[in-house]
Amino acid sequence: MGSFLVGRGARLTACIGLGAAGALAAPAACLYPEYTFDEPEPAGGASSGSGARVEDCANGDDDDGRIDCADPACGDFACTAAVPEGWSGYFALFNGEPAMDPGCPPEFAAGQPFAGNRGLSAPPASCACSCGPAEGQACDPVDELTITVADAPCGSEPHCLFPLTTPGWQAEVCKGPDGVFGDRLTCGPSSNAECSTTTGAPCAVSVSVSPLGASGGECAPNAVQVQKQDPRWTRLGRACAAAEPLGRGCNLGQVCAPRPAAPFERGLCIAKDGDANCPPGPYTERHVFFTDVEDTRSCDDDCACGAPSGGACPTTVSLYSDVQLHTCSTQVTELLAGSCVDLEAHPSVVGRKVTSLGAPAGGACTPSGGTPSGEARGANPRTFCCGT
């Protein structure tokens, strides 16, 4: 029997000799049965347009004579150590400013990418203490009031000042007879402080009364006011998992995986939940990112208030021109403590009396305290260890 194989799907033609009896009955030509064989395609990757095989660096097959990382055509892939027990991988890790987030490239698009943060900016809380109004204050004695007659109108610089003393004075009690008398013209620009030079200028041009203060009492501290800025992360961690399957062509215990390109970290990374140390081996560059914030920033409730100050009692003083001892009949003017009034016709100012004394008001206390406490820090950490 003779046979011939020609190309793929070749036809095999055979001529089989017949016996003598058969030869007599057969036609002149031999019979040639026909057989067709379909030869299968070689296994492996795709071919180029010219028929040459092209290496698929991530399929674990030999497509063109060298497998994955052993093929020079797979320069964007590298042999990397196996993932240690208790860790996961492999990841391309971006560690940079949030505005520069590159997303995940196609070769690292397996599963849901991880996004975390580090570099927390969270200043301490701002604590503000304040005090309530002064309570329990008492008016100072009215004999602490100062009554002053001047030879110049209110608001002008005087040449002479005449204080009227009030020792032992009490409210509603008339006090006199020392004072400034209208017939004495001994003031003016040419006089000295004692008015010893007769100048012919009037002395009683205006009169003023000092405020009547208040003392004692206390202020209650208000609840501390807490203000704090929202925490802000300064660095983003974007981890993208390598797509499966991973390639071969490496030493035992290694896999062929794509190399991360900028702006990702230079080496492949492995990951573990929590704040962990990197395992022994080639994955030594440690990065910890957080997915939440634990914020305990607040203020201590330590506000306190000092003694009240600045309180005053609304007081009305009446002045009289009577020269008799402790006589308050002929009123010259009336004014509130803490004010000044101009006088008409330069009268004598002798008798004086407090005609109205109000309750203390306007006192204030200086607050202290309000100490910041607590801090803001990252929570739910995840550790990445990357190769160099």
Side-chain angles (χ1 to χ4, degrees):
M1 175 179 68
S3 63
F4 303 92
L5 181 64
V6 183
R8 181 174 301 143
R11 298 166 63 191
L12 179 63
T13 306
C15 179
I16 305 174
L18 303 176
L24 294 175
C30 292
L31 297 176
Y32 297 95
E34 293 186 357
Y35 301 89
T36 301
F37 299 92
D38 292 326
E39 185 179 337
E41 295 282 349
S47 63
S48 66
S50 62
R53 314 305 296 170
V54 177
E55 182 66 26
D56 181 347
C57 301
N59 65 357
D61 291 333
D62 178 8
D63 304 312
D64 63 353
R66 293 185 183 181
I67 188 169
D68 299 340
C69 277
D71 194 318
C74 296
D76 291 336
F77 286 69
C79 292
T80 186
V83 177
E85 184 177 356
W87 294 74
S88 61
Y90 303 90
F91 300 96
L93 179 65
F94 169 75
N95 174 21
E97 296 181 8
M100 304 302 292
D101 182 5
C104 292
E107 62 271 24
F108 289 95
Q112 183 69 26
F114 168 85
N117 304 278
R118 69 178 182 87
L120 184 62
S121 175
S126 174
C127 308
C129 288
S130 61
C131 298
E135 296 180 353
Q137 288 185 293
C139 292
D140 293 339
V142 294
D143 64 359
E144 294 184 8
L145 286 171
T146 300
I147 303 173
T148 304
V149 179
D151 67 341
C154 296
S156 301
E157 188 69 24
H159 302 286
C160 299
L161 294 175
F162 302 95
L164 304 183
T165 59
T166 54
W169 196 22
Q170 297 178 358
E172 300 296 334
V173 174
C174 180
K175 184 71 175 176
D178 59 309
V180 178
F181 299 96
D183 58 350
R184 298 178 184 177
L185 305 178
T186 57
C187 294
S190 300
S191 64
N192 56 29
E194 291 78 25
C195 297
S196 60
T197 302
T198 300
T199 61
C203 295
V205 177
S206 66
V207 62
S208 62
V209 179
S210 64
L212 182 63
S215 57
E218 61 182 5
C219 302
N222 296 318
V224 62
Q225 299 296 309
V226 182
Q227 290 185 333
K228 54 185 180 181
Q229 299 179 13
D230 291 336
R232 180 178 62 87
W233 296 102
T234 60
R235 304 289 287 184
L236 169 71
R238 167 76 67 188
C240 306
E244 299 287 348
L246 296 175
R248 295 189 297 161
C250 300
N251 292 335
L252 185 65
Q254 294 183 322
V255 295
C256 181
R259 298 176 187 268
F264 292 89
E265 294 292 305
R266 183 172 59 180
L268 286 167
C269 305
I270 57 175
K272 186 176 186 178
D273 286 338
D275 190 343
N277 293 323
C278 291
Y283 302 104
T284 58
E285 294 293 330
R286 179 173 175 269
H287 306 273
V288 179
F289 296 95
F290 304 89
T291 58
D292 203 352
V293 176
E294 182 180 287
D295 192 351
T296 61
R297 292 174 298 163
S298 187
C299 300
D300 292 341
D301 189 13
D302 60 353
C303 291
C305 296
S309 62
C313 294
T315 304
T316 303
V317 176
S318 292
L319 301 173
Y320 303 86
S321 61
D322 305 284
V323 296
Q324 294 85 1
L325 179 65
H326 307 319
T327 300
C328 295
S329 298
T330 308
Q331 187 181 70
V332 173
T333 189
E334 183 179 72
L335 72 164
L336 288 173
S339 66
C340 175
V341 296
D342 292 330
L343 300 174
E344 296 181 0
H346 317 300
S348 296
V349 180
V350 182
R352 51 265 191 196
K353 182 169 65 174
V354 172
T355 55
S356 174
L357 179 62
C365 300
T366 301
S368 62
T371 306
S373 62
E375 63 177 353
R377 57 187 177 183
N380 297 333
R382 185 169 174 84
T383 302
F384 291 85
C385 295
C386 304
T388 57

